[in-house]
Amino acid sequence: MIFILALTCGVAVGNIYFPQAVSPLVASGLGVSPDTAALVVTAAQLGYTAGNFLLVPLGDRLPHRPLIAVLLGVTGIGLLGAAGAAGLPALVGASAMVGMTTVVAQVIAPMAAGLVPADRRGAVMGTLMSGSVGGILLARTFGGMIGEWLGWRAPYLVAAVVALCLAAALAFALPATVPPSRQPYPALLAEPLRLLRREPDLRRTCLYQATVFGGFQAVWTGVALLLTGPEYGLGAQAVGLLALVSAATMFCAPLTGRQVDRRGSEPVALVVMLGTLASAGVLAFGALGGAAGLVALAAGTLLLDVAMQSGTIANQARIFALRPDARSRINTAYMTCSFLGGSTGSWLGAAAYGRFGWTGVCALLAVLATVALARHLLRRPGGARETREAAGIVAGNAEAKSRS
């Protein structure tokens, strides 16, 4: 079942990322500038932010099986609409709709966290993250290559067929679950804001993810413009091929999950922020162009991908220890902040590239990583969340020993 859930996460998350590889093709196909075509990516991320706020809390109120199947079905319809869009406004609207409903991975993560003991939660989050990373990588690669061969509409059509088929299969394959809350929908929507106000460790974690993910999105928006611009003069499929370099992240995610189970979230978070800051320095050499620049881009994006995905695992293990009875609502607050940061980072990345070039994008990543690192170093060690997380790890280890 964990494998099926990881596969579903990959398919859902991929719908947010393949537009990054095809946005240059959208620009030429619809006769708009590359900066304007990047609005398609931003719209998908803003839609995803809205979906996290409006739809993910339903995971605490509705059975997971019909909720996940319906969300995937509506995603497929939105992808068909994007494939048939006659102009940029229609495409941006369809992208926002797809982003809003393809939040299935954020419904699955809290569900899976409640199905395993505390000492295995990090490992399960790592497995789900491997599926998501695989979806990101394959989505960028497939989007770039299929778009280059068949036009920018083809990736949307293929993604629509996959989403609709998966929705039909999951309607029968997923286990039945009992929702933990009977709160009405307006109360569910208000709860993430209350949790942000009451839980300082949730606010801190949201800042970590918003800054690191914002830098991540800025880089991937900028790298598509860099590779297809005059510095390299490559096609859209080069963006997809570059994404394949980050396949190592799929194997790092389970290792990170085990380290979180063993050591806790905070040491892993520190390594993540240092790795993000280091990736900015490596990526800056991509401005050299040629073979040396491509090597720098490959090494830098790999380091950034590993850091960002590892940070997500550590962050979700931390927040899921806060309120076991409200995991979907906590995840709503977390992912809403994450994609607000991501969509802002995507917009800032396009703006920085347009004004300062690739060096400006790398400087933006460094600033965002520094903000996260400074907040982490200024936290109060041994706070309530860290005590609860440690207690959960100890209790989970004790439970595992008793079972063996």
Side-chain angles (χ1 to χ4, degrees):
M1 182 52 59
I2 295 298
F3 171 79
I4 295 174
L5 295 177
L7 176 64
T8 305
C9 288
V11 171
V13 172
N15 293 323
I16 302 297
Y17 290 93
F18 80 78
Q20 291 178 330
V22 301
S23 64
L25 298 176
V26 170
S28 59
L30 297 180
V32 297
S33 69
D35 290 355
T36 304
L39 289 174
V40 175
V41 180
T42 302
Q45 292 160 4
L46 287 173
Y48 198 85
T49 304
N52 273 286
F53 182 75
L54 296 173
L55 301 178
V56 172
L58 293 174
D60 284 337
R61 183 66 179 84
L62 301 177
H64 290 104
R65 181 166 57 193
L67 177 61
I68 290 171
V70 168
L71 288 175
L72 278 171
V74 177
T75 297
I77 294 172
L79 289 165
L80 289 175
L88 186 65
L91 179 58
V92 168
S95 295
M97 175 183 171
V98 170
M100 186 172 181
T101 57
T102 191
V103 292
V104 173
Q106 308 315 321
V107 177
I108 287 174
M111 178 185 73
L115 297 177
V116 297
D119 64 313
R120 292 196 60 236
R121 193 168 295 140
V124 170
M125 293 301 104
T127 301
L128 296 180
M129 183 56 65
S130 291
S132 296
V133 171
I136 294 170
L137 297 178
L138 292 176
R140 289 185 185 134
T141 304
F142 130 84
M145 290 185 172
I146 299 297
E148 192 79 27
W149 295 335
L150 301 176
W152 67 266
R153 298 180 190 272
Y156 285 98
L157 283 172
V158 175
V161 172
V162 172
L164 292 172
C165 291
L166 190 57
L170 290 177
F172 300 96
L174 287 178
T177 58
V178 178
S181 174
R182 293 185 177 274
Q183 285 184 298
Y185 182 63
L188 288 175
L189 291 184
E191 186 65 16
L193 297 175
R194 286 195 290 266
L195 289 167
L196 277 170
R197 185 173 65 250
R198 295 171 184 171
E199 298 285 352
D201 286 314
L202 177 59
R203 294 196 300 271
R204 176 168 62 92
T205 304
C206 288
L207 176 65
Y208 292 168
Q209 184 67 7
T211 50
V212 173
F213 189 56
F216 174 85
Q217 292 292 79
V219 165
W220 277 104
T221 299
V223 81
L225 299 173
L226 176 67
L227 290 177
T228 58
E231 291 87 351
Y232 287 91
L234 301 175
Q237 73 183 89
V239 182
L241 291 174
L242 178 63
L244 283 181
V245 176
S246 299
T249 313
M250 296 179 62
F251 305 101
C252 294
L255 297 176
T256 301
R258 287 194 285 271
Q259 289 301 311
V260 171
D261 286 337
R262 183 178 304 172
R263 305 175 187 277
S265 300
E266 304 306 332
V268 175
L270 177 60
V271 174
V272 164
M273 294 163 196
L274 293 173
T276 304
L277 189 58
S279 71
V282 177
L283 286 166
F285 289 99
L288 296 174
L294 286 174
V295 170
L297 290 176
T301 52
L302 173 60
L303 180 56
L304 178 60
D305 277 19
V306 170
M308 199 280 293
Q309 306 297 353
S310 298
T312 300
I313 295 167
N315 289 337
Q316 288 191 313
R318 183 190 298 115
I319 63 174
F320 289 155
L322 292 173
R323 287 279 304 277
D325 62 320
R327 287 193 174 109
S328 287
R329 284 160 283 176
I330 282 179
N331 203 40
T332 293
Y334 169 74
M335 292 306 302
T336 300
C337 292
S338 172
F339 273 83
L340 280 174
S343 56
T344 303
S346 178
W347 176 76
L348 289 175
Y353 185 86
R355 185 165 185 178
F356 303 107
W358 180 244
T359 303
V361 176
C362 297
L364 174 62
L365 173 62
V367 169
L368 293 172
T370 301
V371 170
L373 179 61
R375 178 62 185 89
H376 183 74
L377 295 176
L378 292 173
R379 82 190 195 284
R380 291 191 303 165
R385 202 280 320 149
E386 293 182 44
T387 302
R388 275 178 280 181
E389 182 186 69
I393 292 173
V394 171
N397 289 337
E399 182 181 348
K401 289 180 181 178
S402 67
R403 288 198 304 268
S404 63

